[in-house]
Amino acid sequence: MSVFVDGAGDDVRDAYEDVRNDDTESNWALFGYDNDGQGKKIEHKESGSDYEDFVALLGDDQRGYGYVRFEIGDEMSRRKKFAFITWIGPSVSPLKKAKVSTDKAFVKRICVDFGKEILADEKNEVAEKKIRQILELASGAAYGTGK
């Protein structure tokens, strides 16, 4: 079952919980629109463990919602942090861009736990190094020695 603009789907919820589960390999889940991005249902598209695979799925003409997990911290304290990424490719039409703001709210009813929300329309904005840095800054104090 997928997320309609007025409800929540089990496939989206299952993928979200899989990413949150420390006992699974999944570090990310991508949610997008059915009918090759032209539909009105939001569904789970793919999950995986390699963040670069996630970035590769973000097309210039697509809208999507990502939920990602990173382990961050220093040698004194390692912890899992999550980000909710809204992707609007640079070639998406203005009408579809406008719909993202309302559709995103339905996905966020399921993906409720995250440290940072990121809106991106260029791939450099979702580079792994950049996302890690954003999550590090949001996580608070660093207690390590810098080694």
Side-chain angles (χ1 to χ4, degrees), residues 46-58:
E46 198 166 329
S47 293
S49 58
D50 185 354
Y51 183 76
E52 293 307 314
D53 292 342
F54 168 77
V55 174
L57 292 170
L58 304 175

Side-chain angles (χ1 to χ4, degrees), residues 1-5 11-12 30-46 61-65 96 99 103 107:
M1 185 172 166
S2 302
V3 175
F4 282 94
V5 183
D11 63 333
V12 174
L30 178 64
F31 312 110
Y33 295 85
D34 68 334
N35 197 19
D36 290 328
Q38 305 305 311
K40 295 184 179 183
K41 287 191 291 185
I42 298 170
E43 60 190 10
H44 173 234
K45 292 294 192 181
E46 198 166 329
D61 61 344
Q62 295 178 341
R63 305 166 288 162
Y65 309 94
K96 287 182 180 176
K99 284 192 56 60
D103 293 350
V107 180

Side-chain angles (χ1 to χ4, degrees), residues 15 18-21 23-29 47-49 69 82:
D18 189 50
V19 173
R20 290 204 51 83
N21 185 345
D23 295 330
T24 68
E25 293 285 324
S26 296
N27 290 328
W28 59 265
S47 293
S49 58
R69 171 180 69 188
F82 301 88

Side-chain angles (χ1 to χ4, degrees), residues 1-130:
M1 185 172 166
S2 302
V3 175
F4 282 94
V5 183
D6 61 354
D10 292 337
D11 63 333
V12 174
R13 186 176 315 282
D14 290 346
Y16 162 74
E17 294 193 9
D18 189 50
V19 173
R20 290 204 51 83
N21 185 345
D22 290 340
D23 295 330
T24 68
E25 293 285 324
S26 296
N27 290 328
W28 59 265
L30 178 64
F31 312 110
Y33 295 85
D34 68 334
N35 197 19
D36 290 328
Q38 305 305 311
K40 295 184 179 183
K41 287 191 291 185
I42 298 170
E43 60 190 10
H44 173 234
K45 292 294 192 181
E46 198 166 329
S47 293
S49 58
D50 185 354
Y51 183 76
E52 293 307 314
D53 292 342
F54 168 77
V55 174
L57 292 170
L58 304 175
D60 286 351
D61 61 344
Q62 295 178 341
R63 305 166 288 162
Y65 309 94
Y67 189 72
V68 299
R69 171 180 69 188
F70 286 105
E71 185 174 301
I72 62 167
D74 52 40
E75 74 282 359
M76 303 282 293
S77 173
R78 305 291 298 167
R79 56 211 171 271
K80 305 285 196 270
K81 293 293 177 183
F82 301 88
F84 181 82
I85 299 172
T86 301
W87 170 256
I88 305 172
S91 300
V92 171
S93 72
L95 184 59
K96 287 182 180 176
K97 284 181 184 180
K99 284 192 56 60
V100 166
S101 64
T102 54
D103 293 350
K104 173 175 58 172
F106 296 106
V107 180
K108 286 172 59 178
R109 286 184 184 170
I110 296 171
C111 301
V112 295
D113 293 315
F114 51 88
K116 273 311 240 187
E117 181 175 348
I118 298 157
L119 174 62
D121 60 5
E122 296 289 337
K123 290 226 178 161
N124 65 345
E125 297 173 329
V126 293
E128 182 173 352
K129 184 176 181 180
K130 182 164 187 144

